[in-house]
């Protein structure tokens, strides 16, 4: 029911930066939280970052592998979520997906999210 569209992916050299965007729409968006996941070929989809949606609570969560390099943020007025990625490494190469949460807890789990975008490719060359 929630429509999500990612953008901003591309090819960058190691050490470079990218900023991903996710636009959300739909009457069933409950405003709990939104998150970013990524999936490399032949591997499981893994949690990257998440952020609570209420204006008064912008709590963020990060996987250990991206902490201190990535920053998740949102603009509630525009229903937009962003992922600023700095100091990119070849192991960050994957398809990145945004997702809208359907509950408040365990946001690192795929099951916490009810809607998914189609993904945007991020490739980091060495």
């Amino acid at each position: 029911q929630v429509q999500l569209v990612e953008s901003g992916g591309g090819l960058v050299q190691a050490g470079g930066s990218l900023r991903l965007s996710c636009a959300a729409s739909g009457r069933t968006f409950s405003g709990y939280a939104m998150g970013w996941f990524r999936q490399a070929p032949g591997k499981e989809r893994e949690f990257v970052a998440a952020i609570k949606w209420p204006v008064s609570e912008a709590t963020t969560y990060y996987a250990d592998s991206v902490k201190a390099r990535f920053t998740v943020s949102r603009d509630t007025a525009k229903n937009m979520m962003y992922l600023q990625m700095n100091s990119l490494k070849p192991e960050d190469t994957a398809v990145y997906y945004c997702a809208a949460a359907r509950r408040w807890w365990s946001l690192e789990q795929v099951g916490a999210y009810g809607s998914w975008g189609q993904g945007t490719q991020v490739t980091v060359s060495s």
Side-chain angles (χ1 to χ4, degrees):
Q1 293 285 354
V2 179
Q3 297 174 325
L4 302 171
V5 180
E6 303 97 336
S7 62
L11 190 155
V12 297
Q13 292 182 284
S17 299
L18 279 176
R19 190 192 193 211
L20 305 183
S21 298
C22 175
S25 62
R27 65 181 181 85
T28 61
F29 178 50
S30 298
Y32 294 139
M34 294 186 70
W36 290 99
F37 287 74
R38 66 187 182 186
Q39 187 168 25
K43 296 186 177 181
E44 298 291 326
R45 188 167 300 189
E46 66 173 351
F47 172 75
V48 176
I51 185 168
K52 293 287 185 67
W53 208 250
V55 175
S56 61
E57 185 177 7
T59 305
T60 57
Y61 308 85
Y62 298 95
D64 289 341
S65 60
V66 306
K67 197 171 297 182
R69 296 190 298 121
F70 292 8
T71 302
V72 63
S73 61
R74 84 284 194 272
D75 184 336
T76 58
K78 297 181 178 180
N79 288 144
M80 295 286 292
M81 178 178 66
Y82 309 95
L83 184 67
Q84 178 66 47
M85 305 184 293
N86 298 325
S87 301
L88 284 163
K89 306 174 181 179
E91 48 263 48
D92 294 318
T93 296
V95 176
Y96 283 69
Y97 299 89
C98 66
R102 59 181 181 178
R103 68 190 191 206
W104 294 106
W105 58 93
S106 300
L107 296 176
E108 78 285 355
Q109 299 179 2
V110 170
Y113 302 85
S115 300
W116 297 81
Q118 292 189 331
T120 185
Q121 177 70 47
V122 171
T123 302
V124 184
S125 62
S126 59

